[in-house]
Amino acid sequence: MEAFEKTSRNQVKRIPKRGHYDRPAIYAILDDACVGHVGFALDGQPFVIPTIYGRDGDTLYLHGATTSRMLVALQKGLPVCVTVTHIDGLVLARSAFHHSMNYRSAVIFGTARLVEGAEKNKALEVISEQILPGRWEEVRGPNAKELKATSVVALEIEQASAKIRTGPPGDDKEDYELPIWAGVLPINQSYGAPQEDPLSRKELDLPASVLQVSER
Amino acid sequence: MEAFEKTSRNQVKRIPKRGHYDRPAIYAILDDACVGHVGFALDGQPFVIPTIYGRDGDTLYLHGATTSRMLVALQKGLPVCVTVTHIDGLVLARSAFHHSMNYRSAVIFGTARLVEGAEKNKALEVISEQILPGRWEEVRGPNAKELKATSVVALEIEQASAKIRTGPPGDDKEDYELPIWAGVLPINQSYGAPQEDPLSRKELDLPASVLQVSER
């Protein structure tokens, strides 16, 4: 689990003390989410598309319709950037200037390749497990027609960095005397109560996958 | 408030019924967030950077350190894509294939220009109000040194589209008979209890800006 090399591409330039290059820090951010923002450029025009992913080691799997513009573009081996961001709180300082956010973000660089055969099934399971562990085993798996309609690409992570801010605001020394409330307003994300499909034919117990996260 | 023209750049190609091009739909998504993912390309290499923004009419304001690589690049008039995404729930179908997410995303295309003078102050206020309405009036405003250390760019929204999914899963007809629980697991985002800065010199009441959102 060595760290990624720091180069001009992945280096955290602004406030370098917030930068991280080691796999555990970066992968913890990736593993705590399942949607990233995928960036690619066609003739200099950038596109940023929110996309579900699954991580397996140093590989990110992305999937979508075979006809997806993004997946067609990525298969050409274009350079790709995938960014995953958690917003953990508003940092409210005494000065406008020192307002900030608490956040954890990971920026991934790589190139994509089309995934086929046995790896394709595995990749779809990895993506499903990233979203809701255990769900893959509970549902009807993909048939040949569905597999044909789905493209999967693998992004080998060539370079990456993370940027993390935590803790209270940091104000200028003289501003601590001002009668202005300062602190952090945390932002939480949670699952609400499961909503059964109104078209369900019979009443079924909640599955283990849902119970596991609903009881958190 | 006419709609944005639909072209090959901003058209929602996959599942077109989820696509929206009218300003109210797109701006509602932008106004319900304050962090977007900004994409730009340097020599074909895409970068996707999470960034705070504020919207004023058809303009998105972004700010950061004068030395920020992103802001320096954007000022050159490169094409920019900013994407804002809300994940509202996991859509759990009976088949792996029909699993989905409920989401609202907006993809914005434009080019940026450097903001200076009176517009710069106004833009910083717009950004602050987007994050936490009312905070700007409560805090010490930026001084000349801080303004000099901050760059603001304006992205005039040239084109945009939104993509929205809501509601229960849509399974294949025959799968509704399967004894597999299906439905939606909502994802909620909320503010936690405000955490006062431990370095505060005296006890102060919570400000109106914080109370307003904490009482939601």
Side-chain angles (χ1 to χ4, degrees):
Chain A
M1 292 289 269
E2 58 176 330
F4 290 101
E5 192 192 355
K6 201 193 297 187
T7 73
S8 65
R9 187 169 67 164
N10 70 328
Q11 191 175 351
V12 173
K13 292 195 179 60
R14 286 297 311 155
I15 319 186
K17 69 176 180 184
R18 293 186 190 163
H20 301 265
Y21 303 89
D22 58 300
R23 282 176 168 77
I26 294 164
Y27 289 171
I29 292 168
L30 297 181
D31 295 350
D32 201 19
C34 61
V35 175
H37 282 78
V38 178
F40 57 98
L42 299 175
D43 296 328
Q45 171 66 55
F47 294 88
V48 177
I49 309 294
T51 306
I52 290 167
Y53 65 85
R55 183 181 76 85
D56 185 18
D58 284 339
T59 304
L60 279 194
Y61 289 113
L62 314 177
H63 79 314
T66 307
T67 53
S68 149
R69 170 167 62 181
M70 181 183 79
L71 291 176
V72 169
L74 295 197
Q75 286 165 43
K76 292 176 186 159
L78 298 175
V80 183
C81 178
V82 180
T83 297
V84 173
T85 306
H86 302 272
I87 304 293
D88 296 324
L90 306 184
V91 178
L92 306 175
R94 294 153 187 89
S95 59
F97 184 75
H98 284 297
H99 275 64
S100 186
M101 298 248 176
N102 283 336
Y103 59 88
R104 294 164 287 146
S105 67
V107 178
I108 306 296
F109 296 101
T111 51
R113 62 177 169 82
L114 187 64
V115 170
E116 292 177 292
E119 190 190 0
K120 187 170 177 177
N121 283 280
K122 177 70 189 160
L124 291 170
E125 183 177 346
V126 166
I127 293 169
S128 178
E129 288 294 299
Q130 179 107 21
I131 302 169
L132 187 60
R135 186 64 179 162
W136 185 257
E137 284 299 318
E138 295 169 351
V139 300
R140 174 176 73 67
N143 59 34
K145 185 181 151 207
E146 291 168 345
L147 282 173
K148 204 177 161 190
T150 306
S151 279
V152 176
V153 301
L155 188 75
E156 310 300 348
I157 303 176
E158 293 163 8
Q159 274 195 301
S161 60
K163 201 169 175 183
I164 300 172
R165 191 204 186 282
T166 59
D171 266 308
D172 289 347
K173 205 176 163 194
E174 58 274 24
D175 287 340
Y176 282 85
E177 299 295 345
L178 294 171
I180 299 172
W181 188 92
V184 170
L185 193 54
I187 295 176
N188 302 320
Q189 200 167 275
S190 60
Y191 288 116
Q195 301 167 342
E196 189 168 8
D197 182 356
L199 297 181
S200 291
R201 299 278 164 85
K202 43 199 140 194
E203 210 174 308
L204 294 168
D205 289 339
L206 284 174
S209 63
V210 172
L211 283 172
Q212 202 176 356
V213 297
S214 297
E215 286 172 354
R216 261 183 202 166
Chain B
M1 291 291 271
E2 60 176 327
F4 289 102
E5 192 192 354
K6 202 193 297 186
T7 72
S8 66
R9 186 169 67 166
N10 70 327
Q11 191 175 352
V12 173
K13 293 195 178 59
R14 286 298 311 155
I15 319 186
K17 69 176 180 185
R18 293 187 190 162
H20 301 264
Y21 303 89
D22 58 300
R23 282 176 168 76
I26 294 164
Y27 290 170
I29 292 167
L30 297 181
D31 294 351
D32 203 18
C34 61
V35 175
H37 281 79
V38 178
F40 57 98
L42 299 175
D43 297 326
Q45 170 66 56
F47 294 87
V48 178
I49 308 294
T51 307
I52 290 168
Y53 65 86
R55 182 180 77 83
D56 184 17
D58 285 339
T59 304
L60 279 194
Y61 289 112
L62 314 176
H63 79 312
T66 307
T67 53
S68 150
R69 171 167 62 181
M70 181 182 79
L71 292 177
V72 169
L74 295 197
Q75 286 165 44
K76 291 176 187 159
L78 298 176
V80 183
C81 179
V82 180
T83 298
V84 173
T85 306
H86 302 272
I87 304 294
D88 296 324
L90 306 185
V91 178
L92 305 175
R94 294 153 187 88
S95 59
F97 184 75
H98 284 296
H99 275 64
S100 186
M101 298 248 177
N102 283 335
Y103 59 87
R104 293 164 287 146
S105 67
V107 178
I108 305 296
F109 297 101
T111 51
R113 62 177 169 81
L114 186 65
V115 170
E116 293 177 292
E119 190 189 0
K120 186 170 177 178
N121 282 279
K122 176 69 188 161
L124 292 170
E125 183 177 346
V126 166
I127 294 168
S128 177
E129 288 293 301
Q130 180 106 21
I131 303 169
L132 188 58
R135 186 64 179 163
W136 185 258
E137 284 298 319
E138 295 169 352
V139 299
R140 174 178 71 68
N143 59 33
K145 186 181 151 206
E146 291 167 345
L147 282 174
K148 203 177 162 190
T150 305
S151 280
V152 176
V153 300
L155 187 75
E156 309 301 347
I157 303 176
E158 292 163 10
Q159 274 195 302
S161 61
K163 200 168 176 183
I164 300 173
R165 192 205 185 282
T166 59
D171 266 307
D172 289 348
K173 206 176 162 193
E174 61 273 23
D175 287 341
Y176 283 87
E177 300 295 345
L178 294 172
I180 299 173
W181 189 92
V184 171
L185 193 54
I187 296 176
N188 303 319
Q189 200 167 275
S190 60
Y191 288 116
Q195 301 166 341
E196 189 168 8
D197 181 356
L199 297 181
S200 290
R201 299 281 163 85
K202 44 199 141 194
E203 211 176 305
L204 294 167
D205 291 338
L206 284 173
S209 63
V210 172
L211 282 172
Q212 202 176 355
V213 297
S214 297
E215 287 173 354
R216 262 184 203 164

